[in-house]
Amino acid sequence: MMKRRWLVVAVGALVLLGLYIFRTYPRHVAITLHGVQYQVGSHTRLKTVTLRLNGTRDRSLFGPETFDGTVDISGASIPDRLNGRFLHVVFASGMPGLLTGSVWSHPQLYYYGELFPNKSFTEFTVTEWQQEGHGSGWNGSNGLVISAPAKTRTQALRISNELMTAWSALLPGHPLK
C-alpha cells in the first residue's frame, strides 16, 4: 500500500515537471510570412509586405512572454530602422509587444509599433506608429496596419480583428474597417 502511494506521488511529480518544462522551454522561431499593409478607413491603400522573425520565444511560468531576436519588415511604406537589430520584445499580460529600440544615429528610442501574434506565432498584426507632432502613435480610424499571412484586405482585416481582440486592443463590437 505504501509503495503504491509513493509511486502515485512520483508519477504526479514527473507529470508536473514535464508540464513545467514544456511550458517554459524556450522555442526557436524562424518564420517568413507574406502579408499586406493597409490603412484603416481607406480601401485604396494596399501594399504587399514581408515579415521575418528569427529568434527565441520564451514563456515563463508566471512572468510575461518574451521574444528575443530580429523582426524584419520589408515593403512597408514606413521604413523600419530596427530591421536586422536584436530586439527584446515583452508581451506583458494582455499587452502586445512593443517594437522599440535605439538607432545609433539617434540618441533616443525609436518606436516602430506594436506586435500582436497568435498563440502559435503563425499569424501577426503590426500597428505602425506614425509621427504626430513631437511624438508618435497609432490611430484606430486611419492608422497603418500590417497583417500576415494575408493576400487581400479582407483576409488582413479578419486577422487583425481576431488578434487585436484577443489581446484586448479592440473593444468588442468595434472592429477595424
Side-chain angles (χ1 to χ4, degrees):
M1 189 72 156
M2 201 64 144
K3 286 183 181 180
R4 197 171 205 183
R5 283 188 189 163
W6 283 109
L7 183 63
V8 169
V9 169
V11 168
L14 283 174
V15 167
L16 287 176
L17 180 64
L19 288 173
Y20 171 76
I21 290 171
F22 177 75
R23 168 77 169 119
T24 61
Y25 191 75
R27 289 168 175 77
H28 183 70
V29 175
I31 190 168
T32 299
L33 297 172
H34 301 285
V36 295
Q37 176 194 41
Y38 64 94
Q39 185 170 7
V40 179
S42 171
H43 294 282
T44 59
R45 193 171 181 179
L46 191 70
K47 290 180 88 170
T48 57
V49 175
T50 302
L51 179 67
R52 288 182 191 88
L53 280 89
N54 190 7
T56 304
R57 176 183 170 202
D58 192 11
R59 300 184 303 173
S60 70
L61 194 57
F62 299 110
E65 182 174 351
T66 61
F67 174 80
D68 295 311
T70 59
V71 178
D72 294 328
I73 300 170
S74 58
S77 59
I78 298 177
D80 186 2
R81 293 183 272 174
L82 300 176
N83 280 347
R85 298 189 189 272
F86 186 82
L87 301 177
H88 177 72
V89 182
V90 178
F91 300 97
S93 178
M95 298 297 292
L98 271 178
L99 296 177
T100 181
S102 60
V103 180
W104 295 110
S105 60
H106 297 85
Q108 69 221 30
L109 280 178
Y110 172 69
Y111 295 96
Y112 185 77
E114 293 177 313
L115 178 67
F116 298 87
N118 65 354
K119 289 194 183 282
S120 60
F121 263 53
T122 56
E123 291 182 334
F124 297 91
T125 289
V126 177
T127 56
E128 296 179 282
W129 292 10
Q130 299 175 23
Q131 286 296 101
E132 297 174 352
H134 293 292
S136 60
W138 186 79
N139 187 329
S141 63
N142 64 357
L144 291 174
V145 180
I146 295 172
S147 291
K151 293 183 180 179
T152 65
R153 180 181 174 78
T154 304
Q155 291 174 338
L157 277 170
R158 182 191 55 77
I159 290 170
S160 295
N161 284 322
E162 285 176 7
L163 294 177
M164 292 176 77
T165 300
W167 284 94
S168 301
L170 291 178
L171 295 173
H174 298 285
L176 298 179
K177 297 178 184 176

